Amino acid sequence: MSRNYTVAIVGATGAVGVEMIKVLERRNFPVAKLKLLASARSVGKTLTFKGETVTVEELREDSFAGVDIALFSAGASISRKYAPIAVQAGAVVVDNSSAFRMDENVPLVVPEINGDDVKLHKGIIANPNCTTAITLMALYPLHRAFGVKRVIASSYQAVSGTGAQAIEELRTQVEAIAAGQPVEKKVYPHQIAFNVLPHVDSFLETGYTKEEMKMQNEARRIMHLPEFKASVTCVRVPVYRAHSVSVNAEFDRPVTVEEARDVLAKAHGLQLVDDPQNNAYPLPLYVAEQDDCQVGRIRIDCALDNGLAFWVAGDQLLKGAALNAVQIAELI
Ligand SMILES: NC(=O)c1ccc[n+]([C@@H]2O[C@H](COP(=O)([O-])OP(=O)(O)OC[C@H]3O[C@@H](n4cnc5c(N)ncnc54)[C@H](OP(=O)(O)O)[C@@H]3O)[C@@H](O)[C@H]2O)c1
């Protein structure tokens, strides 16, 4: 029997939150009532869902009465405090933050890869890091066919991955530079317009950043592959939307370009865009606002054994966040 659900979005006014509203609408998720929650700063703001105006409310401990599904996207500290409160009130939580991703009691899910893990939830399901989710959309089908051992990867991450204020920072810096005005920095430690920053998230003692280690740590859980290794350099680039990742992967078994293309062409949620002679390869500009990720530049890696090099791009606000979260809610 089908029914309609009361859905809450925590962080509804943010870069991911507004995409969640659009994805729920576009996929015709059975919503009986939508609650939009954000900070006190946003109280009274309105957003539109299916032609109806919905007023944003302040997130409070009593916000979850009657809520069936709560999609959290307001940062890890908010999730740590309020997700257990939402579960206590009877909601199932899909959390976009890093708060519970490494918690053994919380499934970490990409529906195309380990959708069955949703069944193991005890109230909270975690949505993976955006760069990891996009990379795995191409890496996992290859792993199924050839057995992945390790990857070396570099990401090219859009500013919207940092949130709404970072989108504004890139826009105002570009305008200031075009007008010959001095540049203001608030979100990033350096100018992001016309620059690239080899710095995403905070640095660890090892010299890697937290973001860089998510690929190894989260991919192990999602692929059920505890020995998987990933050495990653995450780079912020002056792109508004969609992350790209250059991946060099080593497999257990020999792999050819034709076999890899065949596997990737059949993968769900992924498009093969690989005709470099005609300048066809995945580009963040064209994958933005698309549900599917794209993979291309597939070639035999000349420095690894059984190695493949490829380039994968995807809209991190969608597959890396809002779309993946709503897909998980659909599985629930
Ligand atoms: N951006 C991405 O591509 C992406 C991808 C995957 C995961 N995520 C994760 O998703 C989360 C949100 O990211 P975002 O990019 O959407 O950030 P954002 O644009 O900065 O939005 C943050 C949201 O959280 C709300 N918020 C902040 N403090 C709050 C408080 N004290 N109480 C209630 N609500 C509060 C904000 O409300 P106000 O508008 O009222 O301040 C806003 O709605 C983060 O955990 C991030 O790591 C982001």
Side-chain angles (χ1 to χ4, degrees):
M1 199 173 74
S2 67
R3 56 166 285 206
N4 285 347
Y5 299 86
T6 297
V7 178
I9 300 179
V10 178
T13 50
V16 174
V18 294
E19 292 302 319
M20 284 173 162
I21 299 170
K22 289 192 224 164
V23 174
L24 287 170
E25 178 165 339
R26 185 156 49 80
R27 293 176 73 91
N28 217 6
F29 193 89
V31 178
K33 183 176 179 218
L34 186 64
K35 274 190 113 166
L36 301 182
L37 303 165
S39 77
R41 295 179 289 274
S42 298
V43 170
K45 273 190 193 166
T46 57
L47 293 161
T48 307
F49 176 66
K50 291 193 170 173
E52 305 270 325
T53 299
V54 185
T55 305
V56 177
E57 299 167 46
E58 183 179 359
L59 171 66
R60 294 179 2 180
E61 296 196 4
D62 62 0
S63 295
F64 299 97
V67 170
D68 300 302
I69 296 170
L71 307 176
F72 271 68
S73 186
S77 58
I78 297 288
S79 293
R80 265 185 225 108
K81 176 169 179 196
Y82 287 94
I85 293 172
V87 172
Q88 193 68 38
V92 178
V93 168
V94 182
D95 183 36
N96 253 288
S97 80
S98 58
F100 303 104
R101 288 182 191 150
M102 298 314 293
D103 184 332
E104 288 300 325
N105 291 312
V106 174
L108 177 65
V109 174
V110 176
E112 291 85 348
I113 299 175
N114 63 332
D116 277 354
D117 287 358
V118 164
K119 292 179 195 146
L120 305 173
H121 83 80
K122 298 178 177 127
I124 303 175
I125 299 152
N127 214 39
N129 163 256
C130 44
T131 308
T132 304
I134 289 164
T135 304
L136 293 187
M137 290 301 287
L139 186 64
Y140 183 71
L142 294 169
H143 162 61
R144 295 259 304 194
F146 311 109
V148 71
K149 279 161 71 167
R150 57 178 179 152
V151 303
I152 296 160
S154 296
S155 71
Y156 300 67
Q157 299 186 216
V159 293
S160 52
T162 316
Q165 286 178 343
I167 301 171
E168 190 57 18
E169 176 140 317
L170 176 57
R171 195 184 61 74
T172 51
Q173 287 186 356
V174 168
E175 282 176 6
I177 291 163
Q181 304 290 325
V183 158
E184 262 191 71
K185 295 169 295 204
K186 290 188 199 143
V187 176
Y188 297 117
H190 302 282
Q191 176 183 319
I192 183 65
F194 307 103
N195 205 1
V196 295
L197 313 182
H199 177 184
V200 178
D201 209 338
S202 48
F203 285 97
L204 301 165
E205 276 184 10
T206 56
Y208 283 100
T209 65
K210 281 187 182 171
E211 180 87 352
E212 288 164 351
M213 293 317 297
K214 288 171 189 170
M215 180 97 74
Q216 174 168 293
N217 297 336
E218 296 186 19
R220 286 178 173 184
R221 293 201 69 206
I222 297 163
M223 296 198 289
H224 298 172
L225 202 61
E227 305 293 315
F228 173 72
K229 289 186 180 159
S231 174
V232 182
T233 303
C234 286
V235 182
R236 188 72 63 190
V237 295
V239 164
Y240 281 113
R241 186 163 169 158
H243 291 355
S244 309
V245 191
S246 165
V247 184
N248 303 76
E250 190 171 65
F251 297 93
D252 292 324
R253 296 185 284 284
V255 50
T256 68
V257 169
E258 292 67 32
E259 286 168 333
R261 283 204 183 118
D262 199 42
V263 164
L264 293 168
K266 291 181 186 134
H268 291 294
L270 186 72
Q271 292 170 14
L272 182 65
V273 182
D274 195 23
D275 186 6
Q277 297 305 329
N278 289 307
N279 303 329
Y281 27 70
L283 293 171
L285 199 58
Y286 302 148
V287 86
E289 299 190 46
Q290 305 291 321
D291 282 353
D292 285 355
C293 297
Q294 296 184 348
V295 64
R297 294 290 326 274
I298 298 159
R299 58 211 189 273
I300 294 297
D301 189 291
C302 65
L304 296 176
D305 295 331
N306 299 335
L308 208 58
F310 59 90
W311 171 259
V312 56
D315 186 328
Q316 93 292 342
L317 289 173
L318 291 175
K319 191 59 204 168
L323 172 66
N324 200 71
V326 173
Q327 286 177 307
I328 291 171
E330 288 168 353
L331 292 177
I332 299 167

